[in-house]
Amino acid sequence: AAMAAGLQAEGIPATWVHTHLIIEPWNEFDAVTDTATCTFPSTAPSADRSADLTGGVNYALLHSGFTSDTIPTLITSSVTGSYPSQPWPVYMRAYYAAGGVGLPSFHIYSCDPNVIIDMVRQVSAVLPAELQHEIVLGETGCPLLSAACKTGGTMDQRTAFFRGVSFNADVISSTRLVLFWRTLDLTTTALGCEGTFGIVDDADHGYDSAGISLFRALGGTGASHWCPFSV
C-alpha cells in the first residue's frame, strides 16, 4: 500500500511496477562459488533451494502490500547449466517440480546460434504448459575473436549469431525476452573475452570506466575475489 501511494504521488500508476519491473532473486544461482573451499560450482545451489529462495521473495513481496496487479514480474534465479549433473532442462524441470514460481530464466553463451536455439527448445519442452512461451533468455552473446579472446567469433560469425537467434521462429515463440550481453565493448584486454561482447564500439568513456571498475572489483569475471579465477 505504501509503495502504491508513493508511486501515485509521483504520478506513476500503481500497475507500472507490474508491467515494467522484473526481479531476479539471484543471478546465476546454480553457478555460485563456495568461497570457503573455492569449489565451483558449489553443491549448495540446488533447484530445490532456488525454488525455496524465489518463493520467499514472492512471499515477501505479497506481504509488503503488492497485489497480483501491482507485484513486480518475478523470474527464476537464472540458470547457467553449471550445477553438477543438472543441465538447463533438468534443473528447470526440478525447479518447478519443487514448487518454484516465476518465469523461467537462463543464461547461455555460444557463437553458434543453433546451440542457443536447441537449448530454448529443450527448456521449453520441460516447462509447465503456461510457461512454455514465457522464457526469459536473460543473457546470451558471442565475444569477438581476438588475441585476448581465443574462443570468440569473427565479425561474420557474430553477425550470423545475432541474426540466427533474433529471427528464429522457435526462439520468438518460446521467449518473452532475449537479452544480449552487452551493448558496448570494454576497452581493456585484461578481461579477456569478457571485454569484447559488445555489439557496438565503445563511445561512452563513463560506461567504459564504470564497467571495467566493476569487473575488477568482482574479481574479473564476476567470481568471488576471494577465490582464484582465470579469464
Side-chain angles (χ1 to χ4, degrees), residues 113 117 156-168 180:
I117 294 165
D156 286 346
Q157 288 174 320
R158 297 182 81 211
T159 298
F161 167 81
F162 288 117
R163 287 176 174 170
V165 173
S166 299
F167 299 114
N168 178 264
F180 291 106

Side-chain angles (χ1 to χ4, degrees), residues 46 134 147 209:
S46 65
E134 298 289 338
S209 176

Side-chain angles (χ1 to χ4, degrees), residues 89-161:
V90 176
Y91 196 95
M92 290 301 232
R93 180 165 50 201
Y95 174 87
Y96 288 107
V101 298
L103 304 182
S105 172
F106 70 96
H107 297 174
I108 180 171
Y109 288 89
S110 173
C111 288
D112 181 353
N114 292 314
V115 171
I116 313 301
I117 294 165
D118 184 57
M119 191 53 61
V120 168
R121 290 170 178 160
Q122 289 186 44
V123 170
S124 179
V126 303
L127 294 174
E130 67 273 15
L131 295 174
Q132 289 179 352
H133 304 284
E134 298 289 338
I135 292 173
V136 175
L137 183 49
E139 285 185 26
T140 189
C142 169
L144 180 64
L145 180 66
S146 66
C149 180
K150 305 294 187 182
T151 58
T154 64
M155 288 303 296
D156 286 346
Q157 288 174 320
R158 297 182 81 211
T159 298
F161 167 81

Side-chain angles (χ1 to χ4, degrees), residues 6-125:
L7 290 172
Q8 289 176 346
E10 297 296 329
I12 301 173
T15 55
W16 185 92
V17 170
H18 180 63
T19 56
H20 289 76
L21 179 62
I22 295 176
I23 290 183
E24 177 187 31
W26 196 300
N27 179 55
E28 299 186 349
F29 184 73
D30 68 325
V32 172
T33 298
D34 187 332
T35 54
T37 62
C38 287
T39 302
F40 175 82
S42 167
T43 56
S46 65
D48 287 4
R49 183 70 186 95
S50 181
D52 181 60
L53 173 69
T54 308
V57 172
N58 190 57
Y59 177 89
L61 289 170
L62 288 173
H63 284 75
S64 65
F66 286 105
T67 67
S68 59
D69 294 326
T70 62
I71 192 171
T73 296
L74 197 64
I75 64 175
T76 68
S77 295
S78 49
V79 179
T80 66
S82 299
Y83 195 72
S85 304
Q86 290 200 345
W88 291 269
V90 176
Y91 196 95
M92 290 301 232
R93 180 165 50 201
Y95 174 87
Y96 288 107
V101 298
L103 304 182
S105 172
F106 70 96
H107 297 174
I108 180 171
Y109 288 89
S110 173
C111 288
D112 181 353
N114 292 314
V115 171
I116 313 301
I117 294 165
D118 184 57
M119 191 53 61
V120 168
R121 290 170 178 160
Q122 289 186 44
V123 170
S124 179

